[in-house]
Amino acid sequence: MTTSILIADDDKEIVDLVKLYLQNEGYTIYLAYDGAEVWRLVQEKQPTLVILDIMMPEMNGLEVCRLMRSEGILTPILMLSAKAEDNDKIMGLLTGADDYMVKPFNPLELSVRVKAILRRMQQMSQAEPISQDKVIIGPIVVDRALHVVTVSGKELHLTTSEFDILFLLVSEPGRVFSSEYIFEKIWQEKALGASKTVMVHISNLRDKLRDAMGGENVIKTIWGVGYKVEI
């Protein structure tokens, strides 16, 4: 199956540079220079991954990301922004992005981030024995082979990162996982200042589970230590 990547940025030089590096990896590349074009290509081409700049005409990256997630499109999104403030990073993750990079960035690092996201997707899609791939805890069923989460029989739509985090937590109910462990396990990078990234994804995941479970909070925060699932 061909891996396709949509690169979206209104800066043509950045688009051309990223395209050059990723084409050398053998990916099929689609290009967009404004938010409306991103939305059209996401629907028409169904790319494997979207690299999405925040500041774009027509619709900005946050609006595109929010629209994709509201329509149930769970394609992984790597957000780009010239803004380095924590609030901008958190806002990007809150809207459903899977990862975030600040401009200017090293194209080699971007390539590594892309490979890490794609590797996680591949691992999730590889069928393994059902005993390792399916976890049931209370009304929650997490099926890694099918990449589906249901709560009381109703499907819960999660991003790739949210799914990976939930599967990790429910695999060992009651165990407290530190932010650093979660980040290194899911993103496969050293957890240098990554606690806010994990915190935002946990917050999104907790809200979705709480809504599906009638207000019950199953992801507990152990302050100063980490997170655990408990029903």
Side-chain angles (χ1 to χ4, degrees), residues 6-183:
L6 171 56
I7 305 168
D9 198 306
D10 62 348
D11 188 326
K12 190 175 186 302
E13 290 186 4
I14 290 179
V15 169
D16 289 344
L17 179 62
V18 175
K19 175 185 175 183
L20 177 64
Y21 273 81
L22 295 183
Q23 273 188 332
N24 288 337
E25 298 291 341
Y27 306 129
T28 297
I29 303 298
Y30 304 117
L31 306 178
Y33 302 96
D34 63 65
E37 182 70 0
V38 176
W39 178 235
R40 183 183 70 80
L41 289 173
V42 163
Q43 296 175 91
E44 290 184 5
K45 303 298 186 180
Q46 298 181 357
T48 312
L49 171 70
V50 177
I51 298 174
L52 184 61
D53 183 42
I54 287 184
M55 300 302 294
M56 290 189 301
E58 303 294 336
M59 284 191 290
N60 66 41
L62 295 175
E63 292 170 328
V64 174
C65 182
R66 192 176 293 114
L67 178 58
M68 288 174 61
R69 298 310 186 225
S70 69
E71 293 295 321
I73 299 173
L74 303 178
T75 305
I77 296 172
L78 172 57
M79 194 79 81
L80 302 178
S81 176
K83 299 180 178 180
E85 290 85 356
D86 281 342
N87 286 342
D88 294 298
K89 179 177 181 179
I90 290 171
M91 184 60 67
L93 296 173
L94 278 172
T95 57
D98 293 88
D99 204 351
Y100 188 104
M101 289 192 70
V102 176
K103 302 176 185 176
F105 53 82
N106 185 329
L108 289 175
E109 181 184 354
L110 180 107
S111 181
V112 169
R113 296 279 190 96
V114 166
K115 287 179 181 177
I117 294 173
L118 295 175
R119 184 166 56 248
R120 283 164 43 210
M121 292 179 64
Q122 183 179 27
Q123 290 171 348
M124 287 280 97
S125 65
Q126 290 174 340
E128 298 177 6
I130 195 68
S131 61
Q132 298 179 26
D133 264 1
K134 191 172 185 179
V135 178
I136 301 174
I137 175 169
I140 303 171
V141 179
V142 185
D143 192 324
R144 188 165 63 171
L146 299 177
H147 207 272
V148 170
V149 176
T150 59
V151 178
S152 300
K154 184 177 180 179
E155 185 173 350
L156 184 67
H157 297 291
L158 303 179
T159 67
T160 301
S161 297
E162 291 165 358
F163 184 96
D164 292 347
I165 291 171
L166 180 60
F167 189 85
L168 176 65
L169 295 178
V170 299
S171 294
E172 297 186 63
R175 173 181 169 180
V176 180
F177 293 87
S178 69
S179 293
E180 292 76 13
Y181 182 88
I182 293 171
F183 187 87

Side-chain angles (χ1 to χ4, degrees), residues 181-216:
Y181 182 88
I182 293 171
F183 187 87
E184 292 183 1
K185 187 74 173 178
I186 302 304
W187 279 269
Q188 301 177 12
E189 297 178 29
K190 288 294 183 181
L192 301 175
S195 61
K196 288 186 178 179
T197 297
V198 173
M199 177 189 71
V200 173
H201 283 290
I202 289 284
S203 177
N204 287 343
L205 180 57
R206 180 185 282 132
D207 288 346
K208 290 180 180 181
L209 285 169
R210 184 187 291 122
D211 289 344
M213 297 185 65
E216 183 179 355

